[in-house]
Amino acid sequence: MKIVKLLLLLAVLGIGAAATVMFSGVVNVAADEPHSDLVYWLLEETRENAIKKAAQAIEVPDLSEPELLLTGGVDYEFMCSGCHLKPGQSESDMSIGLYPAPLI
Ligand code: HEC
């Protein structure tokens, strides 16, 4: 019974702490200012783990196939290059304000 009360107290304290952070506005989520190390770490860990989980069932195709690369190149041009840029390009209207900046 004692352990249940302790767990309940910890849950209430945790929810209270989360609500305090949420409603105080102390965490700046704006993309035009770098996050604190803690917030950056939390976001990166969350993102990395979400990608790992979502990508588990994806089978990497044979990327040595030239036709596949050509097909992907067209898709990349239309869907990705605005932010991830293309060879010889150092920035675009889209890429300038991205934070975190995507790898090129
Ligand atoms: C609107 C802008 C935008 C577009 C369009 C876009 N991306 Fe991104 N992408 C980003 C940003 C910003 C990040 C970095 C996110 C981070 O580090 O948290 C990113 C990250 C990634 C990453 C992880 C590695 C890295 O660069 O940080 C991959 C892989 C990726 N994008 C693939 C794609 C592909 C494939 C497309 C097209 C189908 C695409 N993206 C289109 C903005 C974009």
Side-chain angles (χ1 to χ4, degrees):
M1 198 61 194
K2 219 174 181 180
I3 191 94
V4 174
K5 281 183 183 171
L6 182 67
L7 289 175
L8 204 61
L9 178 69
L10 287 175
V12 169
L13 287 176
I15 291 169
T20 302
V21 169
M22 193 176 137
F23 291 107
S24 68
V26 63
V27 176
N28 182 357
V29 295
D32 56 353
E33 278 183 39
H35 303 301
S36 69
D37 289 346
L38 176 66
V39 171
Y40 192 85
W41 175 80
L42 282 169
L43 292 172
E44 275 301 299
E45 284 300 309
T46 303
R47 184 181 73 99
E48 286 289 323
N49 289 317
I51 292 170
K52 261 187 216 153
K53 186 170 185 174
Q56 270 173 350
I58 296 175
E59 234 176 83
V60 179
D62 180 5
L63 297 174
S64 64
E65 289 292 322
E67 298 88 39
L68 201 57
L69 288 179
L70 288 174
T71 310
V74 174
D75 288 343
Y76 182 87
E77 165 73 16
F78 285 109
M79 297 188 290
C80 320
S81 67
C83 297
H84 287 273
L85 307 178
K86 48 190 164 186
Q89 191 181 21
S90 59
E91 66 178 34
S92 71
D93 289 346
M94 286 288 276
S95 74
I96 291 171
L98 294 176
Y99 176 76
L103 302 174
I104 299 173

